[in-house]
Amino acid sequence: MVANKNVRSTEEDNKGAWYKESLMYIVLVFAIFVLAGHLILSSARKRNVMLQMPLFDEDEHCYFLQGDERPTPFIYFSAGKSGSSAVWTILSNLTGGENNAREWIGGNNAEMKEFYENVLVGPNESYDWITQHLCRLQHEYNPTSGIVGFKWKPYTQMDHKYTTMGLRLAQLQDTPRIRAVYLRRNILDRIASTRKRLVMIKETGHVSGHCRKSFDEEKFKRCMEEVKKYEQSIALPTGKELIKLVRTEDNQYSKVVSLLDSIGIEHMDLSYGKLFDANNTDEWIRAFKFLGKGPTENLSMEEVQEAAGQVRTNFVPRSERITNFQDVVATLEGTEYAHYLYEE
């Protein structure tokens, strides 16, 4: 009897231990599922900003192509008349094949406002618009191009939630990384170029001062003659008006750089003057190294010029191109903007 009781006691102890082990196993499996679910949800929230907006449908979501040979995506910031089209043509030609960096967001304040209020809304509204657009560009131009991107004129909407959230999600893209390039041109040259263009449109009806290599011989000759005619007849504003223009552009640049830095998007400045006015290709090589595509040594200016789609038209020094240059000097000398008088 005692033996039977001991056997039953042992069996009950074993059964109790088995129940405890089973319960611990169930709890462990449950914890693993909870943790996995938390990680998945956290990832979704991180990618779509706490699920404030729905994710793209699986059928519509774009996934980047992988591999170093695939086009590298980046955001291309520049103000108007900064030579962005000419620079992009050369960059794309020397990294694999020419493509077009469109002003997708808009070329002026009105177009940008329209984009933010009407394009970035709808049934598939998402903050992931920058990443998704660059991904689709990569698919569109693969395998004929080495880089893809879109132009972004930072005139307005830089504080908009779509801008900040879109950039935050772009920063999360790991392979490939999404970076930014900010092309800067001397503000005085940019103002002069803008005014020259407006005068040419008013007097000739032409909407562009670009003389492209693709023009036939007669059209190219006429284009060059018209551009040279207006090259040395442009006066700039002076006094408070000029100071306001320069300060506005400096503030736009600082706001973009500060935003990119705070979010953690890798970026670089490109100088239009150093790209075209220097007697070397150092600035071009610096750009190609940053992008991870294109020639990084032994690049000649002849090769750069060969890759251009248009012919340069401003060879006259700034002091001769601006008819009231001495008045401009009087306005800026002694201010924080005096360096624009002399830098490339």
Side-chain angles (χ1 to χ4, degrees):
M1 294 292 293
V2 174
N4 290 338
K5 184 182 290 186
N6 289 337
V7 170
R8 283 199 300 271
S9 177
T10 302
E11 289 177 348
E12 289 174 356
D13 290 343
N14 290 338
K15 186 179 294 184
W18 181 84
Y19 278 129
K20 287 181 180 179
E21 291 178 0
S22 298
L23 182 60
M24 290 178 62
Y25 178 76
I26 292 172
V27 171
L28 179 62
V29 171
F30 179 75
I32 291 173
F33 274 107
V34 170
L35 178 61
H38 175 73
L39 292 174
I40 292 171
L41 183 58
S42 297
S43 177
R45 284 175 171 169
K46 188 178 182 183
R47 183 155 181 80
N48 210 52
V49 196
M50 302 302 290
L51 296 180
Q52 293 180 56
M53 288 188 173
L55 292 167
F56 279 99
D57 292 337
E58 187 70 19
D59 292 339
E60 296 182 2
H61 193 87
C62 179
Y63 296 91
F64 279 99
L65 300 170
Q66 303 299 307
D68 293 339
E69 73 280 3
R70 307 299 189 181
T72 298
F74 70 95
I75 305 166
Y76 188 36
F77 290 101
S78 72
K81 305 307 294 179
S82 293
S84 59
S85 295
V87 171
W88 180 271
T89 297
I90 295 170
L91 288 175
S92 60
N93 269 325
L94 291 178
T95 53
E98 183 177 351
N99 63 59
N100 185 19
R102 304 178 184 91
E103 292 178 343
W104 181 50
I105 297 174
N108 53 53
N109 289 345
E111 291 177 357
M112 292 177 191
K113 187 173 185 292
E114 169 73 14
F115 179 85
Y116 275 79
E117 292 182 355
N118 295 314
V119 177
L120 292 182
V121 295
N124 290 318
E125 187 176 24
S126 172
Y127 286 134
D128 212 10
W129 58 281
I130 295 174
T131 304
Q132 287 296 294
H133 184 63
L134 288 172
C135 179
R136 293 186 175 101
L137 286 176
Q138 190 203 43
H139 280 263
E140 178 182 351
Y141 289 111
N142 179 69
T144 59
S145 298
I147 58 173
V148 292
F150 63 90
K151 293 181 188 178
W152 193 334
K153 292 182 176 178
Y155 297 151
T156 185
Q157 310 292 347
M158 295 310 297
D159 295 325
H160 198 287
K161 64 179 182 179
Y162 284 118
T163 297
T164 55
M165 297 304 187
L167 288 171
R168 289 187 189 282
L169 287 172
Q171 192 275 333
L172 295 177
Q173 171 62 37
D174 289 325
T175 309
R177 298 288 294 171
I178 294 176
R179 290 171 288 182
V181 171
Y182 201 126
L183 175 65
R184 300 199 74 193
R185 185 181 183 185
N186 184 290
I187 178 64
L188 302 182
D189 296 339
R190 204 181 67 75
I191 295 173
S193 182
T194 300
R195 294 204 161 201
K196 180 180 73 173
R197 179 177 183 272
L198 293 174
V199 171
M200 290 182 65
I201 291 174
K202 181 178 179 180
E203 296 188 7
T204 70
H206 295 298
V207 296
S208 175
H210 298 157
C211 297
R212 304 188 181 280
K213 293 180 178 180
S214 58
F215 288 171
D216 61 51
E217 183 178 353
E218 183 60 32
K219 185 176 181 180
F220 180 81
K221 179 181 178 181
R222 186 169 62 251
C223 178
M224 291 295 291
E225 289 174 349
E226 289 176 349
V227 169
K228 290 179 180 179
K229 174 183 176 182
Y230 295 98
E231 184 65 19
Q232 294 175 263
S233 61
I234 302 300
L236 265 57
T238 56
K240 293 181 179 180
E241 184 180 356
L242 179 58
I243 293 292
K244 182 179 179 180
L245 287 171
V246 176
R247 181 184 294 119
T248 297
E249 178 152 325
D250 265 17
N251 289 342
Q252 288 172 347
Y253 167 76
S254 298
K255 179 178 288 189
V256 172
V257 169
S258 177
L259 181 60
L260 295 175
D261 283 338
S262 67
I263 290 174
I265 291 183
E266 187 180 2
H267 60 91
M268 75 170 297
D269 290 352
L270 268 184
S271 165
Y272 177 91
K274 291 180 180 179
L275 289 172
F276 292 105
D277 293 335
N279 293 321
N280 57 65
T281 58
D282 292 352
E283 190 76 346
W284 290 104
I285 289 175
R286 193 170 71 89
F288 292 128
K289 286 181 178 180
F290 176 78
L291 296 172
K293 297 284 177 68
T296 56
E297 59 183 3
N298 300 324
L299 176 66
S300 68
M301 283 305 295
E302 288 73 19
E303 290 174 297
V304 170
Q305 293 164 1
E306 181 65 26
Q310 59 197 50
V311 177
R312 184 180 174 184
T313 56
N314 57 327
F315 297 97
V316 182
R318 184 178 303 129
S319 58
E320 298 177 20
R321 187 163 63 251
I322 300 172
T323 58
N324 62 337
F325 186 72
Q326 292 308 312
D327 295 330
V328 173
V329 171
T331 294
L332 297 182
E333 200 70 81
T335 72
E336 60 185 300
Y337 308 118
H339 60 95
Y340 287 121
L341 291 168
Y342 312 108
E343 73 177 13
E344 294 178 340

